[in-house]
Amino acid sequence: MNRQIFTLVTAAAALLLTSCGPTPQLKVKEAVLTLSPVDNNPSALHFSVYGGPEDAQLLRVSSPSAIRVEMHDVTVDAKTGAVSMAPMDRVLIPAGEKVAFKKGGKHVMMWGVNTIPRKLGEIETEFLFSNNERILVKARVQEIDGSDPDEKKAIDG
Ligand SMILES: [Cu+2]
């Protein structure tokens, strides 16, 4: 077999392999809301988005239990080292790839989180994508030290 044909065959084999694998599904996982220790300050939501079969944009995150929700990105000034945040309109979720919203990077901020998720220890959150998919997720709610919310501890005893 000459080299050119060999390359073609391996390329075809690689294509076959990928088409035999499970089709990636757009998913949101590992969602955790960390409550701000200071009332009136926003709480931070971290999660991972797993891309589907095609690229999509995450357009909005919302919750019936929060007054205002924004997607933010973090930038560090190369000269001063100062950290600042800026709101994002949309975030590209490439097909089959994982995009992490994590501490020190992209995150979602929630203002005015009401007592329902604080008592339940979980918050209903909706993720809206450019392909019109809406994904509902119950994110775990925790205090800044990782423990259950104080309101839930009071109920659980
Ligand atoms: Cu922020």
Side-chain angles (χ1 to χ4, degrees):
M1 207 170 357
N2 72 34
R3 180 179 218 114
Q4 211 171 7
I5 293 172
F6 181 73
T7 312
L8 271 173
V9 170
T10 45
L15 269 176
L16 257 172
L17 273 178
T18 49
S19 63
C20 285
T23 310
Q25 247 206 313
L26 191 60
K27 277 183 294 204
V28 177
K29 297 260 184 189
E30 301 124 30
V32 178
L33 178 70
T34 305
L35 296 168
S36 165
V38 181
D39 283 347
N40 300 324
N41 279 11
S43 299
L45 181 72
H46 298 107
F47 51 92
S48 296
V49 187
Y50 293 84
E54 279 162 26
D55 290 359
Q57 306 269 356
L58 173 58
L59 299 180
R60 196 179 68 209
V61 180
S62 59
S63 170
S65 289
I67 292 171
R68 187 154 66 96
V69 183
E70 287 181 3
M71 297 192 285
H72 285 177
D73 204 357
V74 168
T75 50
V76 181
D77 188 300
K79 274 187 194 153
T80 64
V83 177
S84 57
M85 305 190 286
M88 294 182 288
D89 267 4
R90 48 184 60 219
V91 178
L92 174 68
I93 312 295
E97 277 182 37
K98 173 181 162 178
V99 177
F101 285 65
K102 59 184 181 199
K103 283 199 182 77
K106 291 184 188 64
H107 59 278
V108 163
M109 293 197 122
M110 291 190 173
W111 284 261
V113 175
N114 69 23
T115 56
I116 299 166
R118 294 171 187 269
K119 285 178 178 163
L120 293 176
E122 58 181 30
I123 184 165
E124 260 183 59
T125 311
E126 187 188 273
F127 296 78
L128 174 67
F129 294 89
S130 55
N131 61 0
N132 270 328
E133 269 192 73
R134 283 166 198 271
I135 297 181
L136 293 171
V137 170
K138 282 189 173 148
R140 179 182 135 77
V141 179
Q142 64 179 22
E143 296 290 343
I144 199 136
D145 64 359
S147 66
D148 281 341
D150 294 338
E151 292 84 345
K152 184 170 189 290
K153 284 180 211 144
I155 295 167
D156 295 346

